[in-house]
Amino acid sequence: MRHGKKINHLGRKAGHRNSMLANMACSLIEHKRINTTVAKAKALKQFIEPLVTKSKTDDTHNRRVVFSYLRDKDAVTELFREVAQKVGDRPGGYTRIIKLGNRLGDNADMAMIELVDFNEIYNVAKKDAKKSSTRRGKKKAADAPATEVTSTEAESNE
């Protein structure tokens, strides 16, 4: 029975699994979204969320801890500079998993995992939807009489 066993071993030994997750995390930080299987995406989510939380406070200790997981200097630098600035006010939930369907070759469930704050499509829609409306009738610009004539238009008519 697998009661209380939280880690999905993904059919790999521990060293291979850790290297694979580190490589996937570096790719996710670099490209902001990657396509993979659903099982690997869920394992990657558990792997990268604590690292993004550590990147919110930029000090030497946190950089060394994150580097021990990722083992890629460029990915650590980008995580602490760009990603940490975008997610600074977010309390958690830095990644999103979107299921894509099945892969043609082996019918595996595919998913796209992305960093939430770097998706412009969802973020722009949220900001535009914040407009408030009132029930009172406002004068529209088209209804206002256009009687004013600027001085340049009056000169050009003469």
Side-chain angles (χ1 to χ4, degrees):
M1 285 187 264
R2 60 165 307 278
H3 296 300
K5 297 188 178 183
K6 193 173 181 182
I7 297 174
N8 185 356
H9 295 290
L10 299 173
R12 290 161 173 83
K13 302 278 174 106
H16 185 192
R17 186 173 56 249
N18 291 335
S19 296
M20 182 190 64
L21 289 173
N23 288 334
M24 289 174 65
C26 292
S27 297
L28 180 63
I29 291 167
E30 180 184 351
H31 299 292
K32 309 304 186 248
R33 74 173 52 119
I34 57 173
N35 291 338
T36 183
T37 62
V38 173
K40 286 181 188 175
K42 288 179 180 179
L44 179 61
K45 185 171 187 159
Q46 288 182 344
F47 182 82
I48 201 165
E49 295 267 343
L51 301 181
V52 176
T53 302
K54 285 194 180 302
S55 73
K56 290 165 105 176
T57 57
D58 188 7
D59 57 352
T60 306
H61 177 68
N62 283 343
R63 278 185 182 263
R64 287 180 177 167
V65 169
V66 171
F67 183 76
S68 72
Y69 282 94
L70 295 181
R71 300 184 298 275
D72 185 4
K73 190 189 299 186
D74 298 329
V76 172
T77 303
E78 188 166 345
L79 177 66
F80 275 85
R81 286 195 184 149
E82 296 176 19
V83 177
Q85 286 180 352
K86 285 251 188 171
V87 301
D89 57 342
R90 181 177 288 274
Y94 310 111
T95 56
R96 176 186 297 127
I97 296 175
I98 301 171
K99 294 184 181 179
L100 299 176
N102 295 340
R103 187 163 50 197
L104 287 178
D106 59 354
N107 207 27
D109 290 332
M110 297 299 289
M112 177 178 65
I113 183 167
E114 65 182 2
L115 294 172
V116 173
D117 291 319
F118 288 91
N119 189 337
E120 290 83 18
I121 296 169
Y122 288 129
N123 293 343
V124 170
K126 259 198 281 186
K127 290 179 184 174
D128 289 345
K130 233 180 181 184
K131 293 180 181 176
S132 62
S133 61
T134 60
R135 295 182 66 170
R136 62 189 168 103
K138 287 187 177 180
K139 256 190 178 178
K140 294 182 181 175
D143 296 338
T147 56
E148 293 183 33
V149 177
T150 59
S151 61
T152 56
E153 290 176 1
E155 293 173 2
S156 64
N157 290 339
E158 291 177 2

